[in-house]
Amino acid sequence: MTRLRRFKQVDVFTAEPLKGNALAVILDAEGLTDAEMFAMARWTNLAETAFVLKPESPEADYRVRIFTTDKELPFAGHPTLGTAYALLQSGLKPKNPGHLIQECGVGLVRVNQLAEGGQAFSAPPAKLKPLAAEHNALLATALRGGKIQAGVTPVATDMGIIWLVVRMESAQDCLNITADAAAISELQTRLGVNGIAVYGLHDKNGPADYEVRALIDEDGVMKEDPVTGSANACLARVLKAAGFPDGAHMAEGYRVRQGTKLQRDGRVTVTFVDGEPWIGGDTCTLIDGTLDL
């Protein structure tokens, strides 16, 4: 028997509708089977669909399961911010003033409400593995059109979802990439990564500090994620491990633009608190209603 369930579709990492990354949030997911969650995720046909459940941990405000059209993710960034925002907008009262505790596949993730608006999540710990030189030629083919920064080793960064983080010579080199889907697919298979996150430094007076793109091959189809919380969290971990190569001031925080090639304008703020990265941004609601599911 179906029932009416609260539903929101939100745009994450933007204060302006249609400029960020869309997320479907089913706010009453109790009783749904895995098969039904997958079916719903395929129906929305978005990058991710989030299902909110009662928490199992006494510390958590809620539990979330995150589905793509073909797999469940233990963690993802824009679903973390989008789900927290949707719950707050729906009247959820945090157990602790000023922040929520999300329970998900990687454990407990704290999501702060920012004084200036928006939310920020604490980036989970990550395992960093430098790319072996034997893969450099394939990587250059995968990122044709852009120049990879010489002397900076790409790093596979694992925080439940795994991104190969690659530095380009400039922000423009990120935008110049014409990705080779076959080469990206081969890299994903060889390295066991979910995709490639490229970044490059903007000029001093640019629209942000870094330009970021997140490139993924899915079943032979080249896709680009509009704005990616997990990729930016992985980048923050890589920059910290490298000692903030673009200046000590970066240890306080920096700004990212993502989605430019897709005619989006996603904005991500990264702030370091006691040396730990927090990934933040705005969210807005586009659809608010119920599902008969």
Side-chain angles (χ1 to χ4, degrees):
M1 179 181 295
T2 62
R3 58 176 263 202
L4 292 179
R5 300 172 186 272
R6 291 179 301 155
F7 170 83
K8 285 182 182 287
Q9 190 158 313
V10 298
D11 205 9
V12 187
F13 290 120
T14 180
E16 182 180 349
L18 309 180
K19 292 294 187 179
N21 199 354
L23 173 73
V25 185
I26 289 77
L27 293 158
D28 301 307
E30 293 294 337
L32 291 176
T33 65
D34 287 8
E36 288 170 328
M37 291 183 187
F38 271 118
M40 182 65 199
R42 289 192 293 269
W43 184 80
T44 67
N45 201 33
L46 297 174
E48 285 100 11
T49 299
F51 297 85
V52 179
L53 301 158
K54 295 177 182 177
E56 295 175 353
S57 168
E59 299 175 54
D61 291 279
Y62 61 95
R63 181 164 64 99
V64 66
R65 295 181 67 182
I66 302 166
F67 286 77
T68 72
T69 55
D70 63 355
K71 59 181 173 288
E72 182 175 4
L73 301 176
F75 172 78
H78 98 275
T80 293
L81 289 192
T83 300
Y85 172 86
L87 285 166
L88 290 168
Q89 290 294 304
S90 297
L92 177 67
K93 302 299 181 186
K95 292 181 178 178
N96 299 285
H99 73 268
L100 295 167
I101 299 294
Q102 171 181 285
E103 182 180 341
C104 58
V106 296
L108 300 180
V109 177
R110 177 166 165 161
V111 184
N112 282 353
Q113 296 171 246
L114 302 178
E116 63 272 24
Q119 286 78 40
F121 68 85
S122 173
K127 298 176 182 177
L128 277 57
K129 182 178 180 181
L131 183 71
E134 65 191 79
H135 302 299
N136 286 345
L138 181 59
L139 180 62
T141 300
L143 303 181
R144 63 187 179 192
K147 295 180 181 179
I148 299 171
Q149 180 73 59
V152 180
T153 302
V155 181
T157 310
D158 181 356
M159 58 175 57
I161 186 169
I162 309 171
W163 290 96
L164 179 65
V165 178
V166 183
R167 182 169 180 127
M168 309 302 290
E169 285 195 358
S170 68
Q172 188 59 50
D173 279 293
C174 285
L175 297 174
N176 289 346
I177 292 169
T178 304
D180 185 302
I184 287 181
S185 179
E186 186 174 348
L187 276 170
Q188 289 178 193
T189 300
R190 280 193 196 180
L191 305 176
V193 300
N194 294 91
I196 301 178
V198 298
Y199 72 104
L201 190 66
H202 274 285
D203 294 336
K204 184 177 181 180
N205 297 319
D209 295 303
Y210 294 107
E211 188 77 25
V212 168
R213 295 177 69 186
L215 308 170
I216 310 161
D217 176 77
E218 292 184 359
D219 300 321
V221 178
M222 184 64 232
K223 294 186 178 181
E224 180 168 349
D225 198 49
V227 203
T228 321
S230 60
N232 278 286
C234 287
L235 171 58
R237 290 290 183 191
V238 169
L239 290 173
K240 179 186 176 183
F244 302 102
D246 298 305
H249 66 282
M250 290 291 185
E252 298 175 2
Y254 57 85
R255 300 164 298 130
V256 165
R257 184 179 73 172
Q258 188 179 350
T260 307
K261 294 290 284 187
L262 301 175
Q263 289 74 56
R264 310 286 181 92
D265 189 21
R267 299 299 175 123
V268 182
T269 60
V270 179
T271 305
F272 289 85
V273 179
D274 296 328
E276 292 299 302
W278 289 77
I279 314 302
D282 290 305
T283 303
C284 52
T285 301
L286 274 70
I287 301 172
D288 188 358
T290 56
L291 290 170
D292 193 358
L293 185 65

